[in-house]
Amino acid sequence: MIAIVDLGIGNFASVKKALDGNVTVNPDVVKGADKIVLPGVGNFGEVAKKLKPLRETILRKIEAGTPFLGICLGMHLLFPSSSEGGGEGLGVLAGDVSGLPREASPHIGWNQVFPAREDPLLSDLEPGSFFYFVHSYYPNPEDESVVTGKTEYETAGGIKSFPATVRRENVFGVQFHPEKSSKKGLKILENFKQL
Amino acid sequence: MEMLAKRIVAALDIKKGRVVKGIQFKNLRDAGDPVELAKEYESAGIDELVFLDITASQENRNILLDLVKRVSREVFIPFTVGGGIKTVEGVRGLARNGADKVFMNTAAVENPDLVRKSADVLGRANLVVAIDGKKADGGWRVHTHGGTKPRSVSVVDWARRVEELGAGEILLTSMETDGTRTGFDLELTSAVADAVNIPVIASGGAGEPQHFEQAFRAGASAGLAASIFHYGDYSVAEVKNFLLERGTNVRREQGNY
């Protein structure tokens, strides 16, 4: 069973449908899950607050090797903190979350992901596949080796990139919304399901 | 080349949970079913969908919420919903039922605070303010109530204001070009795109693939169309292939070409 942790105001019907998972906030359901997905819509501080009652359960599951996927804000919550707002993330990846420069924020729309390292989530997807992004913040992992895919964006100072996908062992994060990225996104979710 | 792909957006007018305008897509079992049509659009390669509810009674509101729920289960591209929203609760209801983005038009003009509050609820990236504009006094004037009511504010000033209030995107419809299929209103599009930093979705007048290219050159991030696709004049792929040949970055199935 895949537990889809619902902490935002959003509706995760498309994630649920794609993964055939259970949308839940119940710690017991999360405890019994084979895989955990944390989709994220909202503000880091607010969602971190709502995550509190589940925090220990999720951390223990991650430690035990349960595959975990954080989507968008859910990816940011893998880090200890964010400049978007106070509150404690899961802190399973070292680093922080920063705001995109004003001229590039919010980053809304379809952009390409270029693989940087081996990641089973990206298997069978061509380099440069398009995914749908909606965000104003992006993660800065301390350890560059967790970045498995990158996306380029334009700033006043030229073209830069942010981590589009991260992975450390059983922990995965994607900055884009696979559930909104049509066939390519569904392939990512399918790859996660197959882990 | 710009990194973010220019978006091709299709609009569906909804009345009592059904698509209003006649549709000539083949392979549709029920051409009036918005979910069927949305799925067809997704597989045709559209980047985003906008659902405009043209009925606003409470009874129809529930039909709309039910539709939003169905779309969110069956369609795997982003979709925006609007029409007749007056309250933050209305915004929240749409988001809770699965709308990725919500747009507002008249209510934003009558109650600008609603824009700010809705941006707080949805996150500003997910709040779209729709502006209907018509030429007046050497500029463009905002019209509300489905274009029937001229307002004192200019389109450019209002666009700047909604950006400040927290809108993440502007859906800009020219009342001059809407329905003409003679091309987007490029003057209006560029005036607004120059005035704000947030993305502008050009709307009204798309009839040929080159109209999208023109709108993008004028500064639009997305082009919205209805009849060009609904009536089968051009497929989404034909529009995108034209744009790719002209060097415009649009989403395509293969990563590199």
Side-chain angles (χ1 to χ4, degrees):
Chain A
M1 184 270 296
I2 300 182
I4 300 164
V5 181
D6 177 8
L7 300 173
I9 63 146
N11 164 302
F12 304 115
S14 43
V15 183
K16 179 180 158 67
K17 170 96 180 191
L19 286 170
D20 193 22
N22 290 356
V23 177
T24 184
V25 284
N26 183 342
D28 290 332
V29 175
V30 175
K31 219 173 272 175
D34 305 314
K35 293 192 172 81
I36 301 168
V37 178
L38 180 60
V41 178
N43 171 286
F44 186 94
E46 276 167 40
V47 176
K49 215 180 289 166
K50 291 187 192 160
L51 182 65
K52 244 183 191 161
L54 284 168
R55 201 169 176 277
E56 283 311 310
T57 308
I58 291 176
L59 286 173
R60 246 174 275 142
K61 290 291 285 183
I62 287 176
E63 213 167 297
T66 306
F68 179 97
L69 172 61
I71 297 173
C72 195
L73 181 60
M75 176 210 218
H76 298 172
L77 285 160
L78 291 170
F79 295 85
S81 65
S82 167
S83 57
E84 186 179 18
E88 201 181 359
L90 291 167
V92 292
L93 297 179
D96 56 21
V97 179
S98 316
L100 287 163
R102 185 180 147 73
E103 70 274 16
S105 178
H107 181 244
I108 309 177
W110 297 86
N111 202 338
Q112 291 172 283
V113 173
F114 295 95
R117 275 173 196 83
E118 168 67 26
D119 186 339
L121 247 49
L122 295 172
S123 75
D124 296 327
L125 286 160
E126 308 87 5
S129 289
F130 280 83
F131 296 94
Y132 188 74
F133 293 83
V134 184
H135 62 118
S136 301
Y137 293 81
Y138 68 99
N140 283 311
E142 242 173 60
D143 179 3
E144 172 71 19
S145 75
V146 302
V147 179
T148 58
K150 291 182 180 184
T151 291
E152 295 181 326
Y153 67 102
E154 288 172 271
T155 71
I159 291 168
K160 292 188 175 157
S161 71
F162 58 76
T165 56
V166 295
R167 182 212 175 178
R168 204 195 64 206
E169 295 160 12
N170 54 315
V171 176
F172 299 84
V174 293
Q175 178 60 75
F176 50 82
H177 288 270
E179 77 282 11
K180 292 292 163 185
S181 300
S182 201
K183 276 183 221 143
K184 307 282 180 181
L186 294 178
K187 179 66 187 159
I188 297 252
L189 294 175
E190 185 57 33
N191 286 342
F192 181 70
K193 216 172 153 181
Q194 295 303 327
L195 286 173
Chain B
M1 183 188 272
E2 290 188 47
M3 302 292 121
L4 273 173
K6 299 293 186 187
R7 287 169 281 158
I8 309 295
V9 182
L12 305 180
D13 287 355
I14 305 297
K15 188 176 182 180
K16 295 182 181 171
R18 305 278 296 168
V19 179
V20 179
K21 285 179 190 161
I23 310 296
Q24 296 188 348
F25 266 134
K26 290 165 198 156
N27 320 318
L28 283 188
R29 272 179 293 137
D30 178 358
D33 178 13
V35 179
E36 284 271 314
L37 188 58
K39 285 165 74 173
E40 186 68 22
Y41 263 125
E42 180 189 344
S43 54
I46 206 81
D47 297 314
E48 208 167 313
L49 292 163
V50 171
F51 294 86
L52 167 62
D53 184 38
I54 60 172
T55 50
S57 73
Q58 191 48 51
E59 182 202 350
N60 291 326
R61 201 58 8 188
N62 293 333
I63 296 173
L64 179 70
L65 290 179
D66 189 55
L67 168 65
V68 168
K69 212 180 278 179
R70 284 174 58 219
V71 172
S72 75
R73 268 189 231 128
E74 301 292 333
V75 177
F76 298 98
I77 54 172
F79 68 100
T80 306
V81 184
I85 296 156
K86 293 189 183 72
T87 62
V88 175
E89 273 320 299
V91 169
R92 210 191 293 270
L94 289 170
R96 252 193 228 292
N97 282 279
D100 298 298
K101 301 192 237 181
V102 172
F103 78 86
M104 50 183 61
N105 188 333
T106 300
V109 174
E110 308 217 311
N111 178 14
D113 203 40
L114 182 62
V115 176
R116 197 180 49 74
K117 285 184 181 149
S118 303
D120 285 345
V121 167
L122 295 172
R124 62 180 300 157
N126 302 313
L127 178 67
V128 182
V129 171
I131 306 178
D132 294 344
K134 197 175 182 179
K135 266 202 178 111
D137 320 322
W140 295 269
R141 183 167 290 192
V142 172
H143 284 61
T144 58
H145 298 82
T148 58
K149 194 170 171 186
R151 315 296 295 218
S152 56
V153 66
S154 86
V155 171
V156 171
D157 287 345
W158 179 233
R160 284 203 187 99
R161 176 103 172 92
V162 299
E163 180 179 30
E164 278 167 23
L165 287 166
E169 280 185 315
I170 290 171
L171 170 52
L172 178 65
T173 303
S174 162
M175 293 169 60
E176 259 92 24
T177 57
D178 198 23
T180 63
R181 295 204 232 175
T182 55
F184 294 102
D185 188 332
L186 302 177
E187 232 188 306
L188 175 63
T189 301
S190 93
V192 173
D194 287 347
V196 297
N197 287 308
I198 52 179
V200 172
I201 305 164
S203 158
E208 303 282 334
Q210 67 258 31
H211 294 156
F212 290 91
E213 187 195 12
Q214 292 161 356
F216 299 148
R217 281 180 195 270
S221 300
L224 178 138
S227 41
I228 183 176
F229 301 129
H230 288 358
Y231 297 117
D233 296 349
Y234 291 94
S235 68
V236 178
E238 281 170 327
V239 170
K240 285 193 168 183
N241 285 334
F242 172 85
L243 290 166
L244 282 173
E245 278 167 23
R246 307 280 293 176
T248 303
N249 183 22
V250 291
R251 174 175 70 107
R252 51 221 178 258
E253 280 302 311
Q254 290 299 317
N256 297 301
Y257 62 99

